[in-house]
Amino acid sequence: MDNRQRYEEEIDLKDLMLHILYRWRSVVLVAVLACVLAGGYAAVYNQGIFPKEKAEIQGRLNEQKEILEDLKAQAQPEAPAPTDDQGRTAEQVQKQIDEIAKELEGVKKLGIPKYAVIGFAGGFFVLVFCYAIGYVFSDKMRGERELRERYGYYLLGAIPKNGGKKPLGGIDKALRRLEGSEQITEEEAYRIVATNIANLSREGGTFLVTGTVSIEDLEAFTVKVVPQLPENIMLMTGAYMGANAGTLEMLADCDAVILIEERDGSLRTKVQKEYETIAALEKNVIGYVLA
């Protein structure tokens, strides 16, 4: 079994944990909503359902007690035990009263704090479980290391996503430190990528920039990197080669390939097709960039 096959069967617990932790906002939001719904249900039950249910059971209990009193009043020494309309004796009515009394004791108000905590915990664990299942069965790449561990590609750099400032963004920064990602600007990330390409291609050549991301993202990458490369390095951009004949033509003419993939976005099946096509033409992959 090769490294790629082993990777398919393994679940990296750290990657799984980070996959879930990066979605902490949605986890907390769902947990809070479940908390509010569970606490709200308890409040509605206490205000509306509980009094009606208790009154209904109490009414049945009082009715049976009245029947029992009538049967006791009708009892005569050395005479057959009297029965009610349903043919029950006083002992049978008493058993019915005991059962209803136990039912009445079981009807209690719901603890609003208790239900709120149960709702929060339930919402939290259900969403975490859903994210974990989605991670396990997803066809998306699992992390920055996957292409290196599956195919031996070199990571040229990772372009940070400019998502703007988010509430409690410090938590996201702490998670990135836990993941081992460096905190750099987008400009510095492109400089690192350009420097790695130049260092790995000192003799120059024509390189194909392609990947599973959109052609617009590929072209935007090329525009930003080209000015920072030596003159002997030429880049040409091609859309995903599994669905574009023009890219296949460029692949045949290029000296090497630079792959642009998306974290939590690129599908393994597409990346595998890229790998097989590049290997069939015996083209070298300089490395990959995560965008």
Side-chain angles (χ1 to χ4, degrees):
M1 183 182 293
D2 60 23
N3 292 334
R4 179 170 54 82
Q5 290 173 320
R6 283 199 298 270
Y7 195 89
E8 288 286 352
E9 297 177 359
E10 294 176 357
I11 299 298
D12 190 302
L13 294 181
K14 182 179 179 181
D15 284 343
L16 173 59
M17 180 188 70
L18 290 170
H19 174 80
I20 296 172
L21 289 177
Y22 272 125
R23 290 154 179 79
W24 66 269
R25 288 182 177 83
S26 60
V27 172
V28 172
L29 176 61
V30 170
V32 170
L33 289 176
C35 170
V36 172
L37 290 175
Y41 169 77
V44 171
Y45 176 86
N46 292 342
Q47 293 295 323
I49 300 176
F50 169 75
K52 294 179 181 178
E53 188 174 352
K54 184 177 181 180
E56 188 272 333
I57 298 174
Q58 186 66 55
R60 287 192 286 118
L61 180 62
N62 294 336
E63 181 182 354
Q64 296 302 314
K65 287 181 177 181
E66 292 178 0
I67 294 174
L68 180 61
E69 292 297 327
D70 291 341
L71 291 176
K72 288 181 178 180
Q74 297 174 21
Q76 297 295 330
E78 300 181 358
T83 58
D84 64 356
D85 296 340
Q86 301 178 21
R88 298 178 301 170
T89 64
E91 292 183 357
Q92 293 173 325
V93 173
Q94 183 61 55
K95 290 181 179 179
Q96 183 70 29
I97 290 175
D98 293 341
E99 292 177 359
I100 297 176
K102 290 182 179 179
E103 184 180 354
L104 183 62
E105 291 178 0
V107 178
K108 299 178 181 179
K109 285 187 176 182
L110 302 180
I112 296 178
K114 176 182 177 181
Y115 268 72
V117 171
I118 292 174
F120 183 91
F124 179 89
F125 286 109
V126 166
L127 193 58
V128 167
F129 176 77
C130 290
Y131 278 138
I133 292 297
Y135 173 87
V136 171
F137 291 100
S138 174
D139 190 42
K140 295 179 181 179
M141 292 195 312
R142 289 176 180 162
E144 292 187 1
R145 308 188 316 273
E146 181 165 351
L147 289 181
R148 181 173 68 250
E149 295 180 0
R150 282 167 60 95
Y151 306 114
Y153 295 159
Y154 177 73
L155 177 61
L156 297 172
I159 310 300
K161 291 187 176 181
N162 185 15
K165 292 185 178 181
K166 295 182 179 180
L168 301 176
I171 296 178
D172 296 323
K173 292 181 180 179
L175 291 175
R176 285 193 288 270
R177 285 196 296 270
L178 178 63
E179 185 182 17
S181 300
E182 299 294 336
Q183 300 299 308
I184 59 176
T185 63
E186 182 176 322
E187 291 75 13
E188 185 63 21
Y190 278 107
R191 286 185 59 191
I192 291 174
V193 171
T195 301
N196 280 327
I197 294 174
N199 290 339
L200 294 170
S201 310
R202 294 186 179 278
E203 296 181 0
T206 301
F207 305 130
L208 171 62
V209 177
T210 186
T212 61
V213 300
S214 67
I215 184 62
E216 291 79 14
D217 290 339
L218 293 170
E219 291 174 345
F221 169 84
T222 303
V223 168
K224 293 182 180 179
V225 170
V226 165
Q228 305 181 57
L229 294 174
E231 295 182 356
N232 63 341
I233 295 179
M234 302 291 294
L235 299 185
M236 52 184 179
T237 307
Y240 170 59
M241 64 182 63
N244 191 288
T247 303
L248 294 176
E249 295 174 355
M250 287 188 282
L251 177 63
D253 296 332
C254 73
D255 297 311
V257 179
I258 299 171
L259 294 175
I260 313 297
E261 307 297 347
E262 182 181 6
R263 57 168 65 89
D264 292 328
S266 293
L267 301 179
R268 296 190 190 96
T269 51
K270 289 187 174 182
V271 176
Q272 177 65 23
K273 289 181 180 179
E274 283 182 332
Y275 167 80
E276 293 173 354
T277 302
I278 295 170
L281 295 181
E282 298 181 347
K283 296 295 182 178
N284 180 44
V285 176
I286 295 177
Y288 68 99
V289 177
L290 284 182

